[in-house]
């Protein structure tokens, strides 16, 4: 270990964000070191990454692959752990300077909390953590004096637009690509397949977030994430569909001035900034070609066709554990749609019914979130199997 370099733990190093984070680390090997790498199932890639980046420890969350990983790395001084608990323990290591949460879904919540309690700055990609328990996370960050650096491109854009500002936010303009079905009618949406949903026009991302982008639940989650990250009420967060994904989001101030951050759609930009903040580093990534951008367009989102967006706002209006309920139900229907067990438009119906049936709690504790997540998953899953 080189103490001069920032030691980064990457939770979910084999995913879309995780692999791009490793590219950033490789480009700036003089500044950053991958201290911990973790994965769920893709153990071969985890081993390959460990051989390249030589971390102090790796965690394979799925214990079935523990032996395989351990044997493959037996010749190297890399500690190998397995299981969800190990993810929480490994982020506490005294040498770690920053934790990138790049795993998917509710599973990101416990290790993020463990990292905050250990005083580690968070580079936050795992938006589900803020959706489920934003208030709790903010309280812990305050208590442990831990900063959260947003990695989600929209939130990084908002963060960048706020740099140097002391004045309050009048409005956040949260841009959305609209996904692959932006122009589809309801009838067309009825028949869309997972393969169609997995073809995102601008971003190459993991399957779960790509489906969420197609249903616009991703944008709904980003509204919730923005509320907690920037302390802005939902009525001041305006979603604007911008199919070209060049304006990554913007902030409007009291005088009417709007500051936005623009760029080529490339997640390595916000990842790198989260690692290097408050500095900006050189990059070899593509630059915007201003003469090629003839038409940047902006539209109103259609919450009749994309009901998930409206449901996300509704969950915020109700508050308490409702966003946790919507997240759990969404994880179930997202998977079911991907596996061909649920139609595209049914996802919103099942989520809405789960919101009505799950036990509401106005002031949930951490344990309540765990219970809520289980209950809402069960209620959503029942609606899929009962058909
Ligand atoms: P991905 O599916 O490509 O990768 C997920 C990673 O998490 C993998 O390394 C996987 O092994 C690990 N993982 C998954 N489930 C796990 C579990 N239960 N326990 C432990 N590890 C687990 O996902 P992604 O697209 O990289 O997204 C990661 C997170 O970043 C998500 O929360 C997503 O919403 C957010 N995000 C992604 C992008 C993007 O461009 N991909 C953009 C913005 C935000
Ligand atoms: Mg985003």
């Amino acid at each position: 270990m080189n103490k001069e370099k920032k030691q980064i733990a990457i939770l979910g190093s084999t995913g879309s964000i995780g692999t791009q984070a490793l590219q950033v680390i490789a480009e700036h090997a003089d500044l950053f070191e991958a201290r911990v790498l973790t994965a769920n199932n893709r153990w071969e890639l985890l081993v390959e990454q460990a051989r390249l980046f030589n971390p102090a420890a790796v965690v394979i969350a799925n214990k079935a692959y523990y032996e395989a990983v351990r044997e493959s790395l037996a010749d190297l001084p890399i500690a190998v752990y397995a299981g969800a608990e190990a993810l929480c323990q490994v982020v506490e290591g005294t040498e770690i300077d920053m934790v990138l949460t790049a795993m998917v879904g509710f599973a990101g919540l416990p290790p993020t909390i463990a990292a905050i309690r250990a005083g580690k700055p968070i580079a936050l990609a795992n938006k589900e953590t803020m959706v489920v328990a934003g208030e709790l996370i903010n309280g812990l960050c305050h208590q442990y004096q831990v900063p959260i650096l947003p990695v989600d491109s929209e939130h990084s854009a908002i963060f960048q637009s706020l740099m140097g500002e002391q004045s309050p936010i009048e409005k956040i303009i949260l841009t959305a690509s609209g996904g692959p079905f932006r122009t589809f009618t309801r009838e067309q949406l009825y028949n869309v397949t997972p393969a169609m949903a997995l073809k995102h026009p601008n971003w190459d991302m993991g399957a779960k977030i790509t489906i969420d982008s197609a249903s616009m639940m991703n944008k709904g989650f980003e509204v919730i994430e923005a509320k907690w990250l920037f302390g802005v009420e939902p009525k001041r967060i305006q979603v604007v569909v911008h199919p070209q994904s060049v304006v990554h989001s913007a902030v409007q101030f009291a005088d009417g001035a709007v500051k936005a951050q623009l760029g080529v759609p490339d997640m390595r930009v916000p990842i790198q900034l989260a690692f290097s903040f408050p500095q900006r580093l050189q990059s070899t990534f593509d630059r915007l070609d201003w003469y090629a951008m003839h038409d940047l367009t902006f539209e109103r989102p259609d919450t009749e066709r994309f009901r998930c967006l409206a449901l996300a706002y509704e969950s915020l209006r109700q508050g308490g554990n409702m966003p946790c309920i919507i997240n759990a139900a969404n994880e179930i229907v997202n998977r079911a749609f991907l596996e061909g067990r649920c139609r595209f438009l049914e996802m919103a119906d099942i989520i809405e019914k789960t919101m009505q049936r799950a036990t509401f709690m106005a002031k949930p504790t951490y344990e309540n979130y765990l219970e809520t997540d289980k209950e809402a998953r069960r209620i959503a899953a029942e609606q899929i199997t009962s058909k």
Side-chain angles (χ1 to χ4, degrees):
M1 186 186 76
N2 183 332
K3 277 208 160 38
E4 304 290 294
K5 300 184 191 180
K6 190 178 248 187
Q7 301 293 318
I8 301 173
I10 304 182
L11 304 181
S13 63
T14 56
S16 160
I17 294 290
T19 50
Q20 293 180 85
L22 285 174
Q23 287 173 26
V24 169
I25 291 178
E27 281 224 16
H28 296 284
D30 52 329
L31 297 174
F32 307 131
E33 241 172 45
R35 178 83 190 165
V36 171
L37 300 177
T38 83
N40 197 28
N41 291 317
R42 297 178 68 187
W43 70 270
E44 283 125 325
L45 181 56
L46 181 67
V47 165
E48 199 180 300
Q49 292 177 337
R51 292 200 158 273
L52 265 175
F53 287 90
N54 204 23
V58 299
V59 180
I60 183 81
N62 185 339
K63 290 181 178 170
Y65 301 118
Y66 171 70
E67 276 306 321
V69 177
R70 202 184 54 81
E71 275 170 28
S72 307
L73 294 175
D75 58 322
L76 294 172
I78 299 175
V80 178
Y81 305 103
E85 318 78 55
L87 287 175
C88 294
Q89 287 156 5
V90 88
V91 293
E92 293 167 1
T94 45
E95 299 81 10
I96 293 170
D97 298 314
M98 173 166 262
V99 176
L100 170 65
T101 65
M103 48 201 284
V104 185
F106 185 90
L109 179 64
T112 305
I113 289 181
I116 297 169
R117 286 189 189 280
K120 310 298 182 188
I122 306 291
L124 183 108
N126 179 254
K127 68 189 82 186
E128 293 91 341
T129 287
M130 295 311 278
V131 171
V132 167
E135 194 165 12
L136 181 87
I137 294 292
N138 276 355
L140 287 169
C141 284
H142 183 75
Q143 186 182 345
Y144 292 92
Q145 291 296 297
V146 165
I148 295 189
L149 286 307
V151 168
D152 211 346
S153 58
E154 295 77 2
H155 304 75
S156 179
I158 296 162
F159 180 77
Q160 292 176 60
S161 302
L162 289 170
M163 282 183 190
E165 294 290 344
Q166 255 108 61
S167 311
I169 297 170
E170 185 173 83
K171 189 167 90 176
I172 283 176
I173 296 97
L174 190 70
T175 52
S177 73
F181 307 141
R182 181 176 59 87
T183 59
F184 281 36
T185 62
R186 245 190 107 76
E187 292 66 41
Q188 287 175 304
L189 284 179
Y190 185 76
N191 287 317
V192 296
T193 63
M196 289 160 80
L198 286 173
K199 286 204 190 83
H200 194 279
N202 305 337
W203 300 95
D204 184 9
M205 309 178 287
K208 196 254 176 185
I209 184 175
T210 307
I211 302 292
D212 285 348
S213 300
S215 69
M216 289 197 77
M217 183 56 98
N218 181 53
K219 210 47 58 179
F221 283 175
E222 290 184 356
V223 171
I224 302 176
E225 186 185 9
K227 173 195 155 94
W228 295 119
L229 285 179
F230 304 109
V232 175
E233 285 312 307
K235 66 173 190 297
R236 291 183 187 273
I237 305 173
Q238 180 180 9
V239 172
V240 176
V241 175
H242 167 48
Q244 298 80 19
S245 297
V246 167
V247 177
H248 294 314
S249 278
V251 179
Q252 179 176 305
F253 297 94
D255 55 359
V258 177
K259 279 170 74 182
Q261 184 258 329
L262 284 68
V264 172
D266 185 336
M267 287 308 296
R268 292 173 301 179
V269 177
I271 293 168
Q272 177 167 301
L273 183 65
F275 287 175
S276 70
F277 183 80
Q279 263 76 50
R280 286 185 188 271
L281 303 178
Q282 283 290 332
S283 90
T284 56
F285 316 147
D286 286 349
R287 299 321 199 226
L288 276 182
D289 177 354
W290 286 84
Y291 294 143
M293 292 191 291
H294 303 298
D295 33 28
L296 293 189
T297 59
F298 302 92
E299 305 162 11
R300 187 186 293 274
D302 181 351
T303 50
E304 301 278 309
R305 283 181 302 136
F306 298 99
R307 288 182 53 230
C308 288
L309 181 57
L311 291 174
Y313 271 101
E314 174 58 21
S315 79
L316 264 187
R317 196 190 61 75
Q318 296 188 36
N321 64 343
M322 198 48 83
C324 176
I325 293 171
I326 199 174
N327 176 70
N330 182 60
E331 289 195 32
I332 295 294
V333 296
N334 179 302
R335 172 60 66 89
F337 172 69
L338 199 57
E339 294 174 354
R341 292 182 284 113
C342 158
R343 283 186 175 276
F344 187 78
L345 290 174
E346 279 171 350
M347 292 198 287
D349 299 339
I350 294 172
I351 291 168
E352 189 173 27
K353 287 215 178 70
T354 308
M355 290 169 75
Q356 289 158 0
R357 291 179 193 168
T359 313
F360 179 73
M361 294 182 220
K363 293 245 170 285
T365 62
Y366 176 63
E367 279 69 31
N368 293 150
Y369 285 125
L370 300 180
E371 295 156 15
T372 298
D373 180 66
K374 277 208 186 72
E375 187 197 31
R377 279 171 196 271
R378 181 177 50 71
I379 295 171
E382 278 166 9
Q383 296 173 70
I384 290 162
T385 49
S386 69
K387 282 204 318 281

